[in-house]
Amino acid sequence: MSLRVGIVGGGQLARMMIAPAVELGLDVRVLAEEPGMAAGLAATATGDYRDLETVRAFARDVDVITFDHEHVPQDVLRALVADGIAVHPGPDALFYAQDKLRMRAKLAELGMPQPEWAAISDAAELQAFLDANGGRAVVKTPRGGYDGKGVRVVSTAADAADWIEALEPGGQLLVEELVDFTRELAQQVARRPSGSWRAYPVVETVQRGGVCAEVIAPAPRAGQRLTDVAESIGVAIAEGLGVTGMLAVELFETADDRLLVNELAMRPHNSGHWSQDGAVTGQFEQHLRAVLDLPLGDTEPRAPWSVMINILGGPAADSLESRIPGALAAHPGAKVHTYGKAPRPGRKVGHVNLTGSDLDAVVSDARGVAAHFDD
Amino acid sequence: MSLRVGIVGGGQLARMMIAPAVELGLDVRVLAEEPGMAAGLAATATGDYRDLETVRAFARDVDVITFDHEHVPQDVLRALVADGIAVHPGPDALFYAQDKLRMRAKLAELGMPQPEWAAISDAAELQAFLDANGGRAVVKTPRGGYDGKGVRVVSTAADAADWIEALEPGGQLLVEELVDFTRELAQQVARRPSGSWRAYPVVETVQRGGVCAEVIAPAPRAGQRLTDVAESIGVAIAEGLGVTGMLAVELFETADDRLLVNELAMRPHNSGHWSQDGAVTGQFEQHLRAVLDLPLGDTEPRAPWSVMINILGGPAADSLESRIPGALAAHPGAKVHTYGKAPRPGRKVGHVNLTGSDLDAVVSDARGVAAHFDD
């Protein structure tokens, strides 16, 4: 009988696990939030991932539960584990992905390099942090943010007055130093429940409007020291937080050559989409192998350079599909991935991967392909 | 709205179209012969592909109909075309794939190099062919053969007496020269309805017991002349027979450096499985692009050498899945593909792909991985 993988959440990350699951011969099942989602092809159940009985019924007949996102509540996760179900990543790891304050405290405990940060609960504490850190800072809601949501740059306590006012009694916000970074990088590590791991090469990510726009793999101008430090941070976090499956560590590189941990994701991540076509083992295949505790695959690049460019929904009403012929014609090596999602403005609806040996040409060609999806 | 592809037949070739279909954002639907088939994940209908109304109902809501096999009857295919449905490959092309006698006659008309052959309807005609061709020959039933079935080496007319006796009035068998080949090769070409095409590099195939066992891509010791001749044969057949989608041409290479056409397949083919992991565009993605008349992808290898080894069901009762951990552990670059089929003896139930730059090492390593599926 095939190994059965249950994925909670029906978004594009679940969707992109379908292809490697089918090829490996896994029985892949998805608990989707609603009908017609990106991973709908493999949906065997529809329901609310916050409802224990919904998740429990879905989890009953699978060999492992994994996730499209990190939002399944702790009590649901812990009930599954108590039922004897393999859950990867598990609740102890996801605890840190679900709350940025806990994550910062744990990374401090592990001695990981990170921006200056504090937990604040009122305007005075925020102002004190601003005064101590050059007058500007980033305030984050500890929970629920993604793609730039729940993140705000402030220069006075008043800029965060609405969030402070909305705090529950005892509630806190995270405030972080506004890092003067030269660029953003991301380090991915896959780790099995039995402990072995494999690291991907560190990549450069380019964000626009808080959303990942482009990724170059490996990161250009990354010497051995940078590569080693990034990998050691990724592995230390994967091991220190007990992450199983794919971990992505978003990093700031500073002008004085430090790497500081920005965010974590305990799942396949946008910064790793290049690996589908650019690495011997794509991150979605690797995640499945990791959560099933199967031997991990080679993470070496298949080509000197890989470039990933996100396709965002635009204001135009015409469908994504009408753009595909032009995009495919633009470069015969382009790999166009689309997610079956309605192209609402700013929404990630697909991406383009391209590999090659001349970085400037790959970047330029990949942008030329992706431009077919612009308005 | 997503482009909708309907695949008739639920076997492993349909299954392996699912992954690239999902990544491209296609709406992929399968008409399976029965529940629980290899392509079951995408099955939206179950029924008999020989029944016009079954196929017609399935075809009503798709943008193109394509196939897992070549066995859909001509009257069914022609009725779909008359309904205005895009069918690729179409009935005119499949006509030649469905009957080896018609195929031989058409290839002769096109001037393609092929073994000596004849249509025979009785023992005297077969004996005459044997007498003229060194006393041994291959007799084939024109229809329904695959993986060595419907093929028999004979040295007297009596060896085929049962087949001759079973002929319907006016029926014929194909008899072919027993080619003294040095090796077998295969040439694949993708062709769009609008006429443009892309050829894959010619590959070497190793058959055991009439079943493809190993493929090496590109074919070792293949000079420019061999490569060019193989490609020109593939393209001439694709154009001459009006093939749309993937065409595979199985070839004999002879001691005097001739290439002779052995068999044709108008669909993705076992000889092209290497391309899933070894070419910029895998044959299953390419087939989908071709039948949808989308721009074709680059067919260049991603590595100097790719090796594909089939996994056949063995006598052991234990499941394929129990072998996967050992196989994956044997080489971190190995790509194990399994088809979700019960591992009956001799049945193709999966394959292993491996790429690298040292051919001997790739062959040896790939065999080491595949050996985990032996008894």
Side-chain angles (χ1 to χ4, degrees):
Chain A
M1 196 169 72
S2 298
L3 288 168
R4 299 158 305 174
V5 178
I7 306 168
V8 178
Q12 66 258 31
L13 301 180
R15 179 190 182 95
M16 289 187 274
M17 292 182 210
I18 296 174
V22 168
E23 288 309 312
L24 269 172
L26 308 178
D27 178 349
V28 59
R29 304 171 187 196
V30 168
L31 170 59
E33 290 83 347
E34 56 189 38
M37 289 192 70
L41 180 67
T44 57
T46 303
D48 187 344
Y49 58 78
R50 296 166 299 188
D51 178 65
L52 174 58
E53 291 317 314
T54 297
V55 180
R56 188 176 251 160
F58 173 70
R60 193 166 291 135
D61 298 319
V62 299
D63 295 300
V64 66
I65 283 287
T66 190
F67 308 96
D68 176 67
H69 56 70
E70 292 117 333
H71 307 316
V72 178
Q74 282 284 322
D75 57 348
V76 173
L77 297 170
R78 293 188 188 280
L80 297 182
V81 172
D83 287 349
I85 294 164
V87 177
H88 295 291
D92 290 347
L94 284 169
F95 179 83
Y96 300 109
Q98 291 174 338
D99 189 306
K100 291 176 186 175
L101 272 170
R102 293 170 181 159
M103 183 269 280
R104 285 290 177 217
K106 182 69 178 178
L107 294 187
E109 184 189 316
L110 292 172
M112 293 293 104
Q114 44 180 347
E116 292 296 318
W117 66 279
I120 60 126
S121 51
D122 58 36
E125 288 174 356
L126 175 53
Q127 193 58 53
F129 186 90
L130 282 165
D131 293 346
N133 287 280
R136 296 183 75 202
V138 184
V139 179
K140 297 180 177 179
T141 56
R143 292 166 166 261
Y146 69 97
D147 281 355
K149 294 175 183 64
V151 174
R152 189 185 293 174
V153 175
V154 303
S155 49
T156 74
D159 292 341
D162 54 337
W163 286 2
I164 291 170
E165 199 162 301
L167 283 174
E168 312 256 313
Q172 294 180 307
L173 294 169
L174 171 63
V175 57
E176 297 177 354
E177 164 195 9
L178 189 67
V179 176
D180 181 26
F181 59 84
T182 53
R183 60 174 174 168
E184 294 186 75
L185 304 172
Q187 174 66 50
Q188 288 192 295
V189 176
R191 185 169 172 273
R192 294 171 61 178
S194 53
S196 67
W197 53 265
R198 280 185 184 260
Y200 283 81
V202 66
V203 303
E204 178 172 340
T205 68
V206 179
Q207 317 283 323
R208 288 197 196 100
V211 177
C212 179
E214 290 186 16
V215 172
I216 301 174
R221 307 175 308 282
Q224 193 62 48
R225 196 196 70 86
L226 178 75
T227 301
D228 289 348
V229 171
E231 178 174 310
S232 71
I233 291 171
V235 174
I237 293 175
E239 295 190 330
L241 275 56
V243 180
T244 44
M246 288 296 302
L247 166 71
V249 182
E250 295 184 69
L251 297 160
F252 295 125
E253 184 177 23
T254 65
D256 56 348
D257 284 342
R258 291 179 305 145
L259 294 181
L260 303 176
V261 176
N262 180 17
E263 304 265 0
L264 304 182
M266 296 182 189
R267 49 173 169 75
H269 188 251
N270 200 162
S271 64
H273 290 356
W274 69 276
S275 65
Q276 291 177 299
D277 303 298
V280 173
T281 309
Q283 67 165 344
F284 298 99
E285 177 184 346
Q286 195 79 294
H287 184 75
L288 293 169
R289 289 165 72 155
V291 300
L292 283 162
D293 207 14
L294 292 171
L296 299 176
D298 192 348
T299 55
E300 282 297 298
R302 288 175 173 274
W305 299 107
S306 297
V307 173
M308 188 286 314
I309 302 187
N310 272 339
I311 303 169
L312 300 183
D318 69 336
S319 77
L320 207 58
E321 285 65 35
S322 66
R323 312 301 187 88
I324 290 179
L328 294 177
H331 196 292
K335 298 289 140 189
V336 174
H337 302 260
T338 72
Y339 308 153
K341 294 163 69 176
R344 291 201 297 265
R347 191 183 204 199
K348 292 175 186 172
V349 293
H351 65 275
V352 171
N353 283 336
L354 190 65
T355 62
S357 52
D358 178 327
L359 176 57
D360 290 343
V362 180
V363 170
S364 163
D365 289 349
R367 288 178 183 165
V369 173
H372 285 269
F373 297 99
D374 292 343
D375 287 291
Chain B
M1 195 170 71
S2 299
L3 288 168
R4 300 158 303 174
V5 178
I7 306 169
V8 178
Q12 66 258 31
L13 301 180
R15 179 190 182 94
M16 289 187 274
M17 292 182 210
I18 295 173
V22 168
E23 289 310 312
L24 269 172
L26 308 177
D27 177 350
V28 57
R29 305 172 186 195
V30 168
L31 170 59
E33 290 82 346
E34 57 189 39
M37 289 190 70
L41 180 67
T44 57
T46 304
D48 187 345
Y49 58 79
R50 296 166 300 189
D51 178 64
L52 174 58
E53 291 317 315
T54 297
V55 181
R56 188 177 252 159
F58 174 69
R60 193 166 292 134
D61 297 320
V62 299
D63 294 300
V64 65
I65 284 287
T66 190
F67 308 97
D68 176 67
H69 55 70
E70 292 116 333
H71 307 317
V72 178
Q74 282 285 320
D75 58 347
V76 173
L77 297 170
R78 293 189 188 279
L80 296 182
V81 172
D83 287 348
I85 294 163
V87 177
H88 295 291
D92 292 345
L94 284 168
F95 180 82
Y96 301 108
Q98 291 175 337
D99 189 306
K100 292 175 185 175
L101 272 169
R102 292 171 182 160
M103 183 269 280
R104 284 292 177 215
K106 182 68 177 178
L107 294 187
E109 185 188 316
L110 292 172
M112 292 293 106
Q114 46 180 346
E116 293 296 317
W117 65 278
I120 58 126
S121 50
D122 59 36
E125 288 174 356
L126 175 53
Q127 193 58 52
F129 187 90
L130 282 165
D131 294 344
N133 288 278
R136 295 182 77 202
V138 184
V139 179
K140 297 181 178 178
T141 56
R143 290 165 167 263
Y146 69 96
D147 279 357
K149 294 176 184 65
V151 175
R152 190 184 292 173
V153 175
V154 303
S155 49
T156 74
D159 293 341
D162 54 337
W163 285 1
I164 290 170
E165 200 162 302
L167 284 173
E168 312 256 313
Q172 295 181 306
L173 294 169
L174 171 64
V175 56
E176 296 177 355
E177 165 194 8
L178 188 67
V179 175
D180 181 26
F181 60 84
T182 52
R183 61 174 174 169
E184 293 186 76
L185 304 172
Q187 174 67 52
Q188 288 192 296
V189 176
R191 185 169 172 273
R192 295 171 62 178
S194 53
S196 67
W197 54 265
R198 280 186 184 259
Y200 283 82
V202 65
V203 303
E204 179 172 339
T205 68
V206 179
Q207 317 283 324
R208 287 196 198 101
V211 177
C212 178
E214 290 185 17
V215 172
I216 301 173
R221 306 175 309 281
Q224 195 61 49
R225 196 196 70 85
L226 178 75
T227 301
D228 289 348
V229 170
E231 178 174 311
S232 70
I233 290 171
V235 174
I237 294 175
E239 295 190 331
L241 275 57
V243 180
T244 44
M246 288 296 302
L247 166 71
V249 181
E250 295 185 68
L251 296 161
F252 295 125
E253 184 177 22
T254 65
D256 57 347
D257 285 341
R258 289 179 305 145
L259 295 181
L260 302 176
V261 176
N262 178 18
E263 305 266 359
L264 304 182
M266 295 181 191
R267 48 173 169 76
H269 187 251
N270 201 161
S271 65
H273 290 356
W274 69 276
S275 66
Q276 291 177 298
D277 302 298
V280 173
T281 309
Q283 66 165 345
F284 298 98
E285 177 184 347
Q286 195 79 292
H287 184 75
L288 293 168
R289 289 165 72 154
V291 300
L292 283 162
D293 208 12
L294 292 171
L296 299 176
D298 192 349
T299 55
E300 281 298 298
R302 288 175 174 275
W305 299 106
S306 296
V307 172
M308 188 287 313
I309 302 187
N310 273 339
I311 304 169
L312 300 182
D318 69 336
S319 77
L320 208 58
E321 285 65 36
S322 66
R323 313 300 188 88
I324 289 178
L328 294 177
H331 196 292
K335 297 292 140 188
V336 173
H337 302 260
T338 72
Y339 309 153
K341 295 163 69 175
R344 292 202 297 265
R347 192 184 204 199
K348 291 175 186 171
V349 293
H351 65 275
V352 171
N353 283 337
L354 190 65
T355 62
S357 52
D358 177 326
L359 177 57
D360 290 344
V362 180
V363 170
S364 164
D365 289 348
R367 288 178 183 165
V369 173
H372 284 269
F373 297 100
D374 292 343
D375 288 290

